Amino acid sequence: MNIELRRFFEDDGTLDIDYQFTSEDELFASPVTVKGRIKSANSIVALNADVECSVSVQCAKCAKDIVKKLSVPMEHLLVSQLNDEDNDDFILVENMVLNLDELVLEDVYLSLPARFLCKDACKGLCPYCGTDLNEGTCNCKKPVDPRLAALQQLLDSNE
Ligand SMILES: [Zn+2]
Ligand SMILES: [Zn+2]
């Protein structure tokens, strides 16, 4: 959605935002919902919104395909010109038109956690046979660390 911001830069005002869009990125398992408000005062336009979406990802431990709901808060100050190019506090809106979808996606990508788990207590896969330890057990024994074995021997010989 493109939002014409000229009137907000020229005059104080508010605009409620409540819409959905579909991203072509296959990461998204559902349309992206955006609810919030644009509010301007003294030529500064503030954007506050909550973004809700679902993403198709894999569990980092057991590699199961999962769909996770995300909720991402957005908070930006928009300006029509930047005096200081390196100022990250403001977002420059070219030609006074805001491409909101683009900004929303940027914020969603930045908020993605480094890894997803199917559940907090996911037991993952056995590193030796690949059994999904959430669904069953296997007979693999953990190889004993040779340093620990040496320590154990030392402790035993002291008794
Ligand atoms: Zn898992
Ligand atoms: Zn195993």
Side-chain angles (χ1 to χ4, degrees):
M1 180 162 90
N2 285 331
I3 301 178
E4 170 64 56
L5 290 181
R6 181 177 298 276
R7 67 188 169 103
F8 294 102
F9 286 120
E10 288 173 353
D11 206 356
D12 295 358
T14 56
L15 172 72
D16 286 324
I17 301 167
D18 188 349
Y19 83 112
Q20 283 195 334
F21 68 95
T22 308
S23 167
E24 282 170 14
D25 189 334
E26 287 176 3
L27 171 71
F28 293 96
S30 71
V32 179
T33 304
V34 188
K35 281 186 188 160
R37 171 172 278 200
I38 284 177
K39 194 169 180 185
S40 67
N42 306 318
S43 301
I44 292 196
V45 179
L47 164 69
N48 286 285
D50 286 308
V51 180
E52 307 263 339
C53 60
S54 305
V55 290
S56 301
V57 289
Q58 274 195 336
C59 173
K61 282 191 175 169
C62 70
K64 203 178 286 165
D65 289 323
I66 47 176
V67 171
K68 284 281 174 184
K69 274 196 171 169
L70 290 182
S71 141
V72 181
M74 290 179 82
E75 223 182 274
H76 293 293
L77 293 176
L78 314 173
V79 291
S80 58
Q81 55 192 42
L82 269 186
N83 298 325
D84 175 2
E85 292 291 325
D86 293 326
N87 195 332
D88 289 337
D89 295 339
F90 298 103
I91 288 183
L92 177 65
V93 179
E94 310 248 1
N95 302 319
M96 302 210 188
V97 176
L98 172 68
N99 182 333
L100 187 55
D101 300 3
E102 220 168 68
L103 188 58
V104 166
L105 291 179
E106 237 172 68
D107 280 13
V108 170
Y109 291 133
L110 285 175
S111 77
L112 288 178
R115 56 185 220 153
F116 289 92
L117 293 179
C118 61
K119 55 189 175 195
D120 286 343
C122 175
K123 294 181 185 141
L125 305 179
C126 168
Y128 309 107
C129 70
T131 297
D132 185 339
L133 299 175
N134 298 303
E135 279 161 19
T137 52
C138 60
N139 293 317
C140 301
K141 289 202 180 87
K142 273 191 194 162
V144 178
D145 186 318
R147 286 165 300 179
L148 288 180
L151 182 67
Q152 193 58 50
Q153 249 173 13
L154 200 67
L155 291 173
D156 289 347
S157 64
N158 277 348
E159 273 172 18

